Amino acid sequence: MTADAPRLAIFARAPVSGRVKTRLAGSVGEEAALAAYRELLALTLHRLAPGTGRFAPEIWIDGERSALASWRGFRMVEQPYGDLGERMAAAFEDGVSALVGTDIPLMTADYVEQALDALAHSDLVLGPTEDGGYCLVAMNSPQKGIFEGIPWSSPQVLTATLAAAKGLSVELLEPLWDVDDATDLARWRGLDQ
């Protein structure tokens, strides 16, 4: 990996009961939600580990860094204080080229590379999710405005982000889905069948 490889921020939370997958916990219980989060986190970090693509992955953690100390090879960065939009904006202002979450079962290095390749002809690249949000954002230069006034954790996230991106060239990748509730969890488990 070259020193000038595009930086990928993997936004993660320390796996602590009651702080992760809270919507999922409402239907399956906190222990099962925590176990699912740990598994999704491990899957994401494995698929996007150093050497899996033409990018330099970093774990941007919300919570205790030591919770992810076993994942060697990743640069660890503490997420700054603020709402999700402020934290994501800070990552891009720090020089990150792309950002992903940790609850997308189909996230791969190829998907990230599609986004990075699209930056050759687009200002902003988004990986939509079926629930109206997005699981990946990539951009050539920081565009703080796309993170302002967004109704986070709602079905309007993608629509509001596209409205905020007026004047930018935008490319949308193939939609993926995330694990937010018991139905999503069953869908994910069904992939192994």
Side-chain angles (χ1 to χ4, degrees), residues 54-55 108-121 125 136 138 171-174:
R54 301 179 318 265
F55 50 81
T108 64
D110 286 343
Y111 193 78
V112 172
E113 288 187 350
Q114 285 176 41
L116 295 171
D117 289 345
L119 290 177
H121 54 268
V125 181
L136 176 147
E171 181 163 336
L172 299 179
L173 300 179
E174 174 187 345

Side-chain angles (χ1 to χ4, degrees), residues 85-166:
E86 291 167 328
R87 291 180 281 137
M88 290 195 295
F92 284 98
E93 288 167 6
D94 191 64
V96 162
S97 295
L99 185 151
V100 298
T102 54
D103 60 354
I104 310 295
L106 300 180
M107 181 61 66
T108 64
D110 286 343
Y111 193 78
V112 172
E113 288 187 350
Q114 285 176 41
L116 295 171
D117 289 345
L119 290 177
H121 54 268
S122 301
D123 299 318
L124 174 66
V125 181
L126 296 168
T129 53
E130 293 176 1
D131 63 3
Y134 58 83
C135 60
L136 176 147
V137 57
M139 61 183 90
N140 287 311
S141 62
Q143 303 291 336
K144 187 176 181 178
I146 68 160
F147 300 118
E148 296 173 348
I150 306 299
W152 302 112
S153 301
S154 79
Q156 291 79 39
V157 170
L158 181 63
T159 302
T161 302
L162 291 172
K166 189 171 182 148

Side-chain angles (χ1 to χ4, degrees), residues 57-70:
E58 307 171 352
I59 300 172
W60 283 62
I61 188 162
D62 177 11
E64 192 61 43
R65 287 174 70 146
S66 62
L68 298 181
S70 63

